[in-house]
Amino acid sequence: MTDPTGAVTPEAIPGSPFLTLPGAVEQADAVDHGVPSHYGSPNIEQRLIASGKAIVDLSNRGIVTVTGPDRLSWLNSITSQELRSLSAGISTETLFLDQSGRIEHAVKLLDDGTTTWLVTEADDAAPLHAWLDRMRFMLRVEVAIVTEQYAVIGAAAGLAVAAAEPNGMPLVWHDPWSDVAVGGHQYATGEHPGAAWTWTETIVAREQLESLVQQIRAGAFSAAGSLAAEALRIAAWRPRLQSEVDERSIPHELDWLRSAVHLNKGCYRGQETVAKVHNLGHPPRRLVMLLLDGSDAVLPPAGSNVVLVGDGDDATRKPVGRITSSAIHHELGPVALAIVKRSADPAAVLTVEADGIDVAASQEIVVPADAGATANVPRLPRLGAVRR
């Protein structure tokens, strides 16, 4: 099945053979559809991933390719990352922004010397393909969606599966979130949990999925569900297009300057907002990780309201944000990522409204309230203001 542009839609992708494994469950409310959410023990599966003993079926991801001699210079001119001199085999990620600097697409990017591979969310592959196709103009580039031919497998670094090599180079993407990329900037302070994040995503031929299932049945390695991978991602403060991004999101709010934005590159769409907020302003919202009270055994789903409840006789409930992702972490317990107003008190214990139950939530600050304004330009007094 294709959309009006001719791009493959998610419905055209065959069902995953991983769903035939013992215990495989696809939860209807999971953020990832078409792949196993878990195999019966999400906490154990998290430990297996972290110890490099389990792979995660991400075959629902979308894959777009760009070929042609102008591919890297072209992508460089329309995205947030410096790509002109990207070497073959080097992993990076980049954002496609609108004119106001809001995030439209986010991709994991790898070039093999002949083709640039863009991995994105399942529902974003067709829109991304259509937009790129419109932007080619007279450049020597060709854009294709190849999700029917290729699939993605996730794992911690150290557990390798046989990657596709259509142009002689294994297609293994190493998540750059573990460190601040060249030209990037980190707003989070102190020890960053992303430093221990060793995530990889391997592109394989789609027909290879059945072989991987057989290897799992034979005990070569284990399988873990998408819920386990999500819990580890949340604990690493790692943003995701499908979850943390809405129609107002700018990279600064998610600390995504850390790995997906080069602050010293040439002009691209949305750059003015990126530079202005980083140098002179502050992002209007900020990402936090919430440590949730699990005493009521309620895990607030994405979209749950985050409020600040008044003290004492003050019964006011001030909305300050919303949950974007939540999970039960094998060590931290119930956790969530949330987008809250910059003005929300960083020291306050917040409340999450979930199924008629108030869940207390303490904050781990990802993006501080004073993030931005790095140029440290003094503010001029307002005309007519009286100096005292």
Side-chain angles (χ1 to χ4, degrees):
M1 181 178 179
T2 60
D3 69 7
T5 69
V8 179
T9 58
E11 292 81 4
I13 307 306
S16 170
F18 279 71
L19 289 168
T20 67
L21 286 168
V25 174
E26 181 187 357
Q27 286 189 190
D29 60 350
V31 66
D32 287 295
H33 298 291
V35 295
S37 305
H38 63 84
Y39 298 88
S41 303
N43 283 354
I44 294 175
E45 292 163 33
Q46 290 176 48
R47 296 187 181 98
L48 289 171
I49 294 173
S51 61
K53 297 177 181 177
I55 63 174
V56 183
D57 176 17
L58 302 178
S59 60
N60 62 332
R61 297 291 195 268
I63 305 176
V64 175
T65 59
V66 183
T67 55
D70 295 332
R71 65 188 185 281
L72 289 177
S73 59
W74 175 57
L75 289 169
N76 183 80
S77 70
I78 57 177
T79 74
S80 62
Q81 189 57 271
E82 174 57 64
L83 302 173
R84 288 173 299 180
S85 58
L86 183 69
S87 299
I90 300 300
S91 303
T92 188
E93 66 174 333
T94 192
L95 304 175
F96 294 78
L97 309 177
D98 69 9
Q99 296 289 1
S100 299
R102 297 184 177 94
I103 300 169
E104 292 188 329
H105 308 282
V107 301
K108 301 160 184 178
L109 190 147
L110 182 70
D111 191 88
D112 65 11
T114 301
T115 301
T116 304
W117 299 77
L118 312 178
V119 176
T120 188
E121 303 285 358
D123 295 337
D124 196 48
L128 175 63
H129 171 273
W131 188 83
L132 287 172
D133 203 47
R134 291 197 303 270
M135 295 295 291
R136 289 186 303 141
F137 303 115
M138 299 298 291
L139 295 172
R140 297 171 297 170
V141 293
E142 295 294 334
V143 183
I145 186 165
V146 296
T147 316
E148 283 188 299
Q149 295 80 40
Y150 294 95
V152 179
I153 295 294
L159 176 54
V161 298
E165 301 183 31
N167 296 306
M169 190 198 80
L171 298 176
V172 182
W173 180 83
H174 298 271
D175 195 340
W177 186 250
S178 58
D179 203 353
V180 181
V182 174
H185 184 91
Q186 176 180 299
Y187 288 137
T189 59
E191 186 176 355
H192 198 295
W197 179 246
T198 62
W199 187 248
T200 67
E201 296 189 3
T202 300
I203 297 176
V204 302
R206 187 162 289 274
E207 61 264 23
Q208 187 183 337
L209 294 177
E210 185 60 50
S211 173
L212 291 172
V213 167
Q214 296 306 317
Q215 291 178 63
I216 292 168
R217 292 182 185 275
F221 37 76
S222 299
S226 63
L227 294 182
E230 278 291 281
L232 297 175
R233 177 186 70 82
I234 291 169
W237 302 352
R238 216 286 185 228
R240 178 179 173 183
L241 177 71
Q242 184 82 0
S243 305
E244 277 62 59
V245 174
D246 61 23
E247 69 281 355
R248 294 189 292 149
S249 298
I250 59 176
H252 319 65
E253 297 175 331
L254 306 174
D255 208 15
W256 227 338
L257 303 185
R258 173 184 171 88
S259 59
V261 177
H262 195 291
L263 292 168
N264 302 314
K265 63 169 286 186
C267 185
Y268 58 93
R269 192 169 71 155
Q271 184 195 27
E272 183 178 357
T273 296
V274 170
K276 186 179 295 184
V277 173
H278 179 64
N279 292 311
L280 302 176
H282 300 284
R285 303 180 299 175
R286 57 187 181 85
L287 183 69
V288 297
M289 188 175 84
L290 299 179
L291 301 175
L292 303 169
D293 178 9
S295 57
D296 289 311
V298 173
L299 182 65
S304 299
N305 291 328
V306 180
V307 300
L308 186 60
V309 180
D311 295 329
D313 297 331
D314 186 355
T316 60
R317 303 173 74 87
K318 181 181 178 182
V320 296
R322 64 177 181 87
I323 297 291
T324 59
S325 305
S326 61
I328 305 293
H329 189 268
H330 69 105
E331 292 180 340
L332 302 175
V335 294
L337 292 177
I339 294 291
V340 300
K341 295 179 180 178
R342 174 175 167 258
S343 59
D345 183 358
V349 175
L350 302 176
T351 297
V352 181
E353 299 175 333
D355 298 328
I357 297 174
D358 284 352
V359 179
S362 60
Q363 303 179 60
E364 284 195 356
I365 306 303
V366 180
V367 178
D370 62 354
T374 58
N376 199 27
V377 176
R379 297 189 65 179
L380 297 176
R382 289 181 295 127
L383 187 64
V386 178
R387 300 178 66 91
R388 300 182 184 277

